Structure formats: C-alpha cells, structure tokens
Amino acid sequence: MRIAFTSEGRNWKSKVDPRFGRAEYIAVYDEENDELVAVDNKEVTGMAHGAGPATAQKLFELKPDVLITGNGPGQNASFMLEKMDMDIYINAHRYTLEEAYGMYREKRLDKLSFSKK
C-alpha cells in the first residue's frame, strides 16, 4: 500500500499541509518497503491558477492508494482525483505525518466522498 500525504516537510515529524494544491511536498509512504519519500511540490506556489490540478497530476504519476491531506482539494482537482482509484482522507492538517498515519490505521480520519450528480 502506498500512502501519500500533503506535507509541510520531508519527514514523519512534519505537519500535514492544510493546502492540497499548494502543498510544499507530497510525502509517499510505501508500507511494503517501510520507506517514506518526499517529493518537492514547490513549483506550484507561484502559479496564479491551476495549482490543484498540477498537484493532482503529480499524484497520478506517484500512484498512491491513499491520500491524506488537510482541507481537501478544490473543485478542479477533485474532478481529476475522482477518476483515480484512491481513497482520500481530509482534515488531517492538525497532525504530523506520523500522527495522521496512526489515525488512518485506526480508521479515525474523515474520508472524502465525491457527490454523484
């Protein structure tokens, strides 16, 4: 299982970034290999528009099974993420990656569900 986090830093003690699209890093934990790798996402900070879709594209390339983030993605990013086969958990921005991962394992995070029209 590969679990991605929007992150303010590169390690387990970093806080989950409350922003989806403008998150500084995307940290991916590979449970099988017990390895956490942080991918720089700072190139989106200067974008006037499209940061959410750009971050969603990066997630598509990283192929996580789960995303843990803060406030959740905006409308355009949500449209893209809905097409990916991944569970998304929100409201984890008060926690470190380590704490958020523990809460995920204990099924204590809020799961995002996309409304079907």
Side-chain angles (χ1 to χ4, degrees):
M1 178 87 62
R2 292 172 50 83
I3 301 162
F5 303 84
T6 57
S7 179
E8 294 180 351
R10 298 177 166 268
N11 61 55
W12 282 111
K13 298 299 181 195
S14 302
K15 288 279 197 182
V16 171
D17 200 316
R19 305 161 301 173
F20 171 77
R22 297 192 189 280
E24 291 185 48
Y25 297 94
I26 299 171
V28 180
Y29 178 56
D30 185 331
E31 288 184 310
E32 186 175 316
N33 297 318
D34 190 26
E35 181 180 31
L36 180 72
V37 175
V39 177
D40 194 307
N41 193 46
K42 292 179 191 168
E43 69 272 4
V44 300
T45 57
M47 296 175 74
H49 302 285
T55 300
Q57 176 63 37
K58 189 169 280 189
L59 277 169
F60 177 77
E61 294 165 5
L62 293 169
K63 298 180 182 10
D65 302 293
V66 171
L67 169 64
I68 297 173
T69 188
N71 296 323
Q75 184 177 5
N76 292 337
S78 291
F79 179 75
M80 294 175 68
L81 293 170
E82 186 177 11
K83 308 293 184 226
M84 295 182 213
D85 186 24
M86 118 177 100
D87 291 330
I88 301 173
Y89 295 88
I90 57 172
N91 298 323
H93 53 282
R94 294 178 295 274
Y95 309 109
T96 65
L97 302 188
E98 185 175 46
E99 292 167 336
Y101 176 69
M103 293 181 72
Y104 161 74
R105 300 296 299 162
E106 295 169 1
K107 297 180 181 3
R108 292 176 42 212
L109 291 177
D110 299 330
K111 187 172 183 180
L112 180 66
S113 58
F114 296 101
S115 62
K116 303 293 181 194
K117 293 185 179 181

